[in-house]
Amino acid sequence: MSNMDEAGPAASWEFVEAMYADYLRDPASVPPEWQQYFQRMDGAAPSAPLPASRPAKAAVSPPSPAPVSAPPTGSARAKGGAGASTAPAPAPRAPGLQGEDLEHRVLMQHRVERLVRAYRGRGHIQARIDPLGTPTRYVPELDPQYYGFTEEDMDRQFYCETMRTEGPLTLRQIISRLRQIYCGSIAFQYLHIDDMRMRHWVQERIEGEQYWAPLPRNIQRRILTRLTDAVVFEQFVRRKFVGAKSFSLEGGESLIPLLDLAIGTAAQQGVKEIVLAMAHRGRLNVLANIIGKSPKEIFREFEDKDPDLYMGGGDVKYHMGYSSDYRTAAGQHVHLSLCFNPSHLEFVNPVALGRTRAKQDRLRDDERAQVMAMLIHGDAAFIGEGIVQETLNLSRLKGYQVGGTIHIILNNQIGFTTPPTEGRSTMYTTSVAKMLPAPIMHVNGEDPEAVARCIQLAMDFRKTFQVDVVIDMYCYRRLGHNEGDEPSFTQPLMYKLIEKKPSVRDAYLEKLIELGGVTRELAEQIEKKRTEALELQLSEARRSTRIMPPSSLMGRWKGYLGGPEPADDQPETGLPREQLSSLLERLTDLPEDFHLHPKLQRFMEARRAMAKGEQPLDWSAGEALALASLAVDGVRIRLSGQDSCRGTFSHRHAVLHDVENGNPYCPLQHLAGNQAPVDIINSPLSEAGVLGFEYGYSLDCPEGLIMWEAQFGDFVNVAQVIIDQFIASGEDKWRRLSGLVMLLPHGFEGAGPEHSSGRIERFLTLAADDNIQVAIPTTPAQMFHLLRRQALRRWRKPLVVFTPKSMLRHPRVVSSLDELASGRFQRVIPDPRHRAMDQVSRVLLCAGKLYYELEARREKLGVEDVAIVRLEQLYPFPRAELEALLGDCKPGTNVIWVQEEPENMGAWHYLRVTVSMQFLNRLPFSGICRPASASPATGSASAHQLEQEELLAKVFAAEQPVVRPRTETIIGTKQTQA
């Protein structure tokens, strides 16, 4: 067989046939390279078989063929084809090529090649992968008559090298073999893979006889045992907890032996840990039979006897995660971690990959061989959820690689009540996976041995190439979406078929009994033993006293704190001035042969001047010193986001590029020989996927500073599911802590609705029980101390930082080295002009860049009795610090919250509830904002300036708000009072 069959249309055999016909008529009529090729072919005796060296071994690649007209159609049908169709008439042979001479044999061999390639590319269409028996459709290219073969040709002999035979095969044998490989219980798709090595690896593996050899008896028995485990568990739960939701695995029980075999193979390949993620379908079965959660714990969750333990928190049992050490059939141990997952199905995928990458980095597993990820998907979700594509796209990117992920699709052939015809525009749910060089295997879930062959190939391919693999296991839901659902309302025909089907276990048992490998008595003993074990577990669950939920603060999380913010966890974040100066100087050191961009020379010169104390530090320097100082103290640094290496606003320049060769250089990675790793990563244009990945990374790297940066703060909208379902609620639902930092550029600069607001109000709405931190630092020193505090504290909570845009280069947004050397992060910054608060008539409370505009307006107007106080941390609310600062104010002094955001956005609503309209029961609290709006900001820069001017004018107007709780909004016809 020629490698030309892998070269696509450029190797069309119609073209080769026509070229050969021309060569026979007149050798000089074809190019010299083709003359050499055909001369080698003619070197064999006419009666000799076609040589094993094939067209692909020619000295040059064949040129693209001219278009070939479609042959006329006939009426013959391929045997076994489904549906009514016609087959084409035999393709016309080139003139003069009749008989058993070499010319005719070459042309016939070429047509066999085309037939083989058709099976490789289209055989999946006729594969028997649906356990419900949906008829396959007729594919003309798989019909030998399509290529002009007649019945008398079926016993002619041809060479088919990839089938690893000693000699030639008859055409009938070749077709039979092709149908076994490509049209059986497994449908292979791999021709979309561009890498020829990968493509040939799959091809040689599945076309070799060893792949289809009968499974050893011990493997068959283990499959039967694991199927029994799956079936008995589901039947037991349904019988003992009538009507309770469990999202049964019935109809897809082959998932359990699949996972069992995968873990066993992984252990043999040197894998020490596996991170798994899945939605709710079959989760309890996987928890009990694979992950190792005691059925007793699961049964107690069904009983739900300890409601007071979960008041206002916790999660449903089929969302829960777990971890344990799994003992394989060979006695090896693999640590398994099943990720917690809400009902947002596929959004756990990047979280699992982030956890996998963190574990690999911690083990210094640069080969990505010791930790692997397995993701179990639903069919409708895999094609329907965009997060799947985002996750797949991460797989080959340097900053996110995990060495290949095993994707297993539990294909129920329905999404809740929606059939595939209404749920996707593609033939398969896996079509999106063709974006990767990933083999795709569609397998009939009722053929457990075919499933076993798929997972073995998947594990070997991943180990060999470190690339994702997809197994699409066709099955069905025996009981509908959940146990209280009536599926026949919407799929009556499907469920008539399902009602008649025995379980996968029963069908496989009958097969093994026929083969003589298992007796019915042995199978019944296995089933009885499993049932008795579950009965014992249920009995213990009902007798046992209260069981406290397991703590998640073990292992690497030992010593870290969750819950309310502790008053005594305030580490010293300052550093000696000399150390800061030295670090900043080292950040300007470049290799001697590095060619810096001319426009960055001033950037480096300014850094050197800052290091010497000759000019104050800007925002970039403050942030860089925070990262550098942590790295040299052994804290891993990871920052990813769109354009984060340079910074969206061209302020960071953490990664420099040689202007002559483009090579990157990151000074943060070259500070000391024993420093911790520093990864600054430009992410793909993805928010949900990348944020999910970084959140997952933070779950397994509590000792690191893990950061995600939005290109603009409002882009975080796209990742709202990750924020709502994981970051903000993970501790409350699953007792999982995270120290993830989110950097969201925020500030009304006249850039329009989509580039103004990081949506402060949404985070404050989610804030409760000290679950997150929300901060808006206004100086480089504050950013320095804030980041260091996050890394050095034992209290681990997600940190949301609203970072500046115009403030990055504002002449007043600077700090001295001394401010970094001493002090801590200030939750509230008092007015430096008013130390005695009893002398002020009003207090303006604000956050972010608005402070500098208020300060400039105060100076311009010469106002002396108004204090401007910065609220640098919005949550947890710094009530003690704020009330201590306002304690000296005279009774009745107005405290006015001023914000750029519209009244229904920003922090105003949160503060109004938090403060209860009075500070210290004697200082009235009111607010001044833009009018309530459906959109964050105007799209007109001029209108923005007008609005900002009116806002500032209102703040410093002669007539101030009267002393009563109210909100004043401004600007034109939207003026209101509340």
Side-chain angles (χ1 to χ4, degrees):
M1 296 288 293
S2 169
N3 287 342
M4 288 179 64
D5 67 325
E6 302 292 345
S12 167
W13 293 118
E14 288 92 339
F15 174 77
V16 176
E17 290 181 14
M19 183 73 74
Y20 188 59
D22 291 341
Y23 168 77
L24 291 173
R25 285 193 297 269
D26 180 9
S29 66
V30 302
E33 60 268 24
W34 281 102
Q35 295 178 34
Q36 296 172 14
Y37 167 67
F38 291 128
Q39 286 170 4
R40 287 199 300 274
M41 293 293 295
D42 285 343
S47 60
L50 191 67
S53 59
R54 302 168 308 165
K57 300 182 185 284
V60 295
S61 299
S64 299
V68 179
S69 301
T73 60
S75 60
R77 277 292 312 267
K79 295 180 180 180
S85 181
T86 56
R93 294 173 178 170
L97 300 184
Q98 307 297 324
E100 288 296 322
D101 54 12
L102 174 63
E103 302 94 285
H104 182 55
R105 293 179 62 84
V106 169
L107 294 180
M108 294 284 281
Q109 181 72 41
H110 287 174
R111 290 169 184 168
V112 171
E113 299 270 357
R114 291 168 55 200
L115 175 64
V116 172
R117 178 173 174 80
Y119 268 94
R120 290 171 179 162
R122 304 274 283 165
H124 62 88
I125 300 174
Q126 287 195 345
R128 300 182 301 275
I129 57 176
D130 185 359
L132 299 180
T134 303
T136 60
R137 63 186 175 89
Y138 173 65
V139 182
E141 301 97 307
L142 306 184
D143 189 333
Q145 295 188 41
Y146 179 83
Y147 305 93
F149 292 115
T150 64
E151 180 60 31
E152 66 182 28
D153 293 324
M154 298 300 288
D155 294 319
R156 294 180 186 272
Q157 293 187 332
F158 300 92
Y159 274 83
C160 198
E161 178 184 311
T162 58
M163 292 184 183
R164 308 285 182 87
T165 56
E166 295 294 330
L169 297 173
T170 66
L171 179 58
R172 195 183 310 278
Q173 291 173 320
I174 291 174
I175 293 174
S176 175
R177 183 73 171 145
L178 288 172
R179 294 200 66 80
Q180 176 195 7
I181 296 169
Y182 292 104
C183 302
S185 293
I186 307 174
F188 296 98
Q189 289 186 289
Y190 62 93
L191 294 188
H192 60 278
I193 300 175
D194 292 328
D195 189 311
M196 184 176 68
R197 296 174 305 122
M198 298 180 187
R199 206 166 56 241
H200 283 180
W201 187 96
V202 175
Q203 180 179 302
E204 292 177 6
R205 179 73 173 266
I206 65 178
E207 293 185 1
E209 292 185 359
Q210 183 60 37
Y211 185 75
W212 301 98
L215 295 184
R217 286 287 188 259
N218 65 314
I219 298 297
Q220 291 177 331
R221 290 195 187 101
R222 186 161 184 88
I223 291 173
L224 177 64
T225 300
R226 303 307 269 140
L227 284 173
T228 303
D229 292 340
V231 170
V232 168
F233 179 84
E234 295 296 353
Q235 292 177 349
F236 187 88
V237 167
R238 185 148 49 92
R239 188 171 65 250
K240 298 296 183 178
F241 302 99
V242 178
K245 288 184 181 180
S246 66
F247 294 97
S248 167
L249 185 60
E250 290 179 82
E253 294 96 335
S254 291
L255 177 67
I256 299 302
L258 183 157
L259 293 175
D260 178 72
L261 292 170
I263 297 166
T265 303
Q268 294 170 6
Q269 294 176 347
V271 174
K272 298 177 180 178
E273 292 190 59
I274 300 178
V275 179
L276 299 99
M278 66 183 298
H280 45 273
R281 174 77 52 210
R283 190 182 188 90
L284 295 181
N285 207 313
V286 171
L287 280 167
N289 288 313
I290 296 294
I291 305 301
K293 186 174 182 178
S294 168
K296 179 172 66 175
E297 294 182 55
I298 297 174
F299 297 156
R300 279 193 65 85
E301 291 167 355
F302 273 105
E303 298 281 351
D304 199 11
K305 288 185 176 181
D306 304 313
D308 54 315
L309 291 179
Y310 303 97
M311 294 292 286
D315 201 352
V316 292
K317 50 190 169 291
Y318 38 81
H319 290 172
M320 303 302 285
Y322 205 79
S323 63
S324 69
D325 290 324
Y326 187 89
R327 179 183 172 88
T328 70
Q332 297 169 296
H333 286 86
V334 179
H335 187 74
L336 305 181
S337 298
L338 177 63
C339 296
F340 299 82
N341 188 21
S343 285
H344 284 67
L345 303 176
E346 304 291 337
F347 277 85
V348 73
N349 296 345
V351 176
L353 297 193
R355 292 192 63 190
T356 304
R357 177 61 179 252
K359 290 175 182 289
Q360 292 171 342
D361 288 350
R362 189 171 66 238
L363 293 171
R364 298 185 179 179
D365 180 17
D366 296 333
E367 297 300 318
R368 314 294 171 196
Q370 298 179 52
V371 186
M372 65 171 281
M374 296 181 69
L375 303 181
I376 303 170
H377 312 270
D379 53 314
F382 193 83
I383 191 66
E385 297 276 2
I387 192 70
V388 173
Q389 183 274 333
E390 292 189 37
T391 304
L392 293 172
N393 188 49
L394 295 177
S395 67
R396 306 278 282 170
L397 303 180
K398 182 179 179 182
Y400 308 92
Q401 287 176 336
V402 296
T405 298
I406 303 297
H407 300 270
I408 302 162
I409 299 174
L410 199 59
N411 194 331
N412 296 307
Q413 306 188 66
I414 193 170
F416 202 152
T417 66
T418 304
T421 54
E422 297 174 4
R424 63 175 185 255
S425 298
T426 58
M427 181 175 182
Y428 295 118
T429 186
T430 57
S431 295
V432 66
K434 284 190 172 183
M435 65 186 286
L436 298 180
I440 300 170
M441 290 169 276
H442 311 275
V443 59
N444 189 323
E446 282 201 333
D447 187 342
E449 295 192 7
V451 172
R453 288 188 173 89
C454 286
I455 193 60
Q456 186 63 55
L457 185 144
M459 295 297 295
D460 292 347
F461 185 90
R462 177 198 172 273
K463 179 177 173 57
T464 304
F465 298 107
Q466 295 190 319
V467 173
D468 292 25
V469 185
V470 180
I471 298 176
D472 180 18
M473 191 180 82
Y474 272 65
C475 49
Y476 52 86
R477 297 180 324 208
R478 185 174 291 279
L479 301 176
H481 181 66
N482 61 58
E483 287 64 29
D485 184 36
E486 178 46 75
S488 64
F489 286 160
T490 51
Q491 275 76 36
L493 300 182
M494 172 186 277
Y495 277 87
K496 283 182 180 179
L497 294 174
I498 292 173
E499 286 174 3
K500 300 175 184 177
K501 296 191 71 62
S503 71
V504 179
R505 182 257 185 193
D506 291 345
Y508 188 57
L509 172 60
E510 295 301 323
K511 174 183 176 180
L512 293 186
I513 290 174
E514 287 181 14
L515 294 174
V518 171
T519 64
R520 194 175 302 277
E521 291 72 24
L522 175 61
E524 290 174 352
Q525 288 176 11
I526 295 173
E527 182 178 6
K528 181 181 178 181
K529 183 178 179 181
R530 295 301 189 268
T531 303
E532 290 174 348
L534 292 178
E535 288 282 6
L536 179 62
Q537 292 280 307
L538 177 61
S539 176
E540 291 180 1
R542 288 174 171 170
R543 289 198 313 267
S544 62
T545 58
R546 171 186 301 235
I547 300 177
M548 295 298 293
S551 172
S552 62
L553 300 181
M554 298 181 293
R556 300 196 67 82
W557 281 96
K558 187 175 182 179
Y560 290 94
L561 303 173
E565 182 178 12
D568 59 350
D569 187 25
Q570 302 297 328
E572 179 61 52
T573 53
L575 290 171
R577 178 188 171 107
E578 297 75 20
Q579 182 180 352
L580 293 170
S581 179
S582 175
L583 283 173
L584 197 54
E585 184 71 36
R586 269 182 275 173
L587 286 171
T588 67
D589 291 340
L590 302 177
E592 291 184 2
D593 59 349
F594 189 87
H595 305 92
L596 184 66
H597 195 289
K599 290 185 179 180
L600 291 179
Q601 293 290 351
R602 284 184 297 174
F603 178 85
M604 289 299 188
E605 291 168 1
R607 281 265 173 102
R608 296 187 188 100
M610 295 173 193
K612 296 175 182 177
E614 297 173 354
Q615 71 182 63
L617 306 177
D618 60 11
W619 193 276
S620 174
E623 178 194 81
L625 279 172
L627 306 187
S629 61
L630 290 169
V632 297
D633 283 344
V635 177
R636 173 182 284 275
I637 305 295
R638 181 180 169 92
L639 167 62
S640 76
Q642 295 159 20
D643 311 295
S644 287
C645 293
R646 188 199 77 176
T648 298
F649 308 99
S650 196
H651 72 286
R652 181 173 292 126
H653 296 294
V655 178
L656 306 168
H657 295 268
D658 190 303
V659 294
E660 293 192 4
N661 56 34
N663 291 338
Y665 183 79
C666 180
L668 283 165
Q669 296 173 344
H670 303 277
L671 299 170
N674 60 345
Q675 71 170 81
V678 177
D679 295 316
I680 313 294
I681 303 162
N682 281 340
S683 77
L685 194 63
S686 159
E687 288 81 29
V690 175
L691 180 57
F693 189 99
E694 302 307 335
Y695 170 74
Y697 198 105
S698 74
L699 293 178
D700 278 86
C701 187
E703 71 280 8
L705 182 64
I706 313 303
M707 298 172 285
W708 173 75
E709 182 177 53
Q711 190 177 68
F712 287 88
D714 55 279
F715 287 5
V716 78
N717 291 346
V718 186
Q720 199 66 45
V721 171
I722 299 297
I723 296 165
D724 291 353
Q725 307 300 329
F726 293 93
I727 295 173
S729 59
E731 181 182 359
D732 198 33
K733 293 192 293 189
W734 311 313
R735 295 179 174 83
R736 294 307 304 258
L737 303 182
S738 166
L740 178 69
V741 179
M742 299 171 60
L743 306 178
L744 309 179
H746 173 88
F748 283 55
E749 317 278 7
E754 275 63 73
H755 293 322
S756 295
S757 176
R759 296 294 189 173
I760 294 172
E761 64 279 356
R762 294 184 181 171
F763 291 96
L764 294 178
T765 299
L766 293 169
D769 300 324
D770 285 4
N771 61 330
I772 58 175
Q773 306 166 84
V774 181
I776 312 182
T778 57
T779 71
Q782 282 284 88
M783 187 64 171
F784 171 85
H785 289 297
L786 178 63
L787 292 178
R788 284 183 55 80
R789 182 185 77 165
Q790 179 72 359
L792 299 178
R793 298 178 88 178
R794 308 308 292 173
W795 192 60
R796 275 289 178 270
K797 298 295 172 102
L799 170 62
V800 183
V801 185
F802 291 95
T803 56
K805 294 182 286 188
S806 64
M807 282 167 55
L808 294 171
R809 295 176 180 82
H810 196 292
R812 295 195 181 190
V813 184
V814 293
S815 299
S816 65
L817 281 170
D818 290 335
E819 289 177 284
L820 276 64
S822 61
R824 295 184 174 92
F825 175 73
Q826 296 175 272
R827 294 174 173 85
V828 179
I829 298 182
D831 191 330
R833 293 178 53 181
H834 290 281
R835 300 298 181 184
M837 295 295 287
D838 58 348
Q839 302 299 311
V840 303
S841 63
R842 282 175 291 131
V843 177
L844 302 181
L845 192 61
C846 67
K849 81 173 184 68
L850 186 59
Y851 164 76
Y852 294 99
E853 294 175 90
L854 291 171
E855 183 186 40
R857 180 57 59 95
R858 181 177 64 177
E859 290 180 0
K860 180 179 178 180
L861 297 175
V863 175
E864 300 293 338
D865 62 343
V866 175
I868 307 176
V869 176
R870 280 171 276 179
L871 194 56
E872 301 278 290
Q873 179 174 298
L874 292 171
Y875 190 83
F877 185 64
R879 183 181 297 277
E881 294 95 326
L882 196 54
E883 291 189 346
L885 177 63
L886 300 175
D888 292 335
C889 291
K890 298 174 184 178
T893 301
N894 275 318
V895 179
I896 306 168
W897 171 254
V898 186
Q899 68 177 34
E900 297 180 294
E901 297 85 3
E903 179 190 359
N904 58 321
M905 301 178 192
W908 169 237
H909 279 242
Y910 156 76
L911 291 173
R912 187 166 58 180
V913 172
T914 302
V915 175
S916 299
M917 307 313 299
Q918 288 273 332
F919 274 109
L920 301 169
N921 294 320
R922 57 186 176 82
L923 305 177
F925 183 51
S926 59
I928 297 179
C929 328
R930 277 178 164 82
S933 176
S935 177
T938 176
S940 164
S942 297
H944 162 75
Q945 292 298 332
L946 176 61
E947 291 178 0
Q948 203 76 349
E949 176 62 30
E950 292 185 4
L951 177 68
L952 295 173
K954 187 68 175 180
V955 172
F956 289 100
E959 294 183 4
Q960 292 303 321
V962 297
V963 183
R964 66 171 181 266
R966 68 175 187 175
T967 306
E968 293 212 3
T969 58
I970 60 168
I971 303 166
T973 58
K974 283 193 176 183
Q975 185 168 356
T976 63
Q977 258 189 354

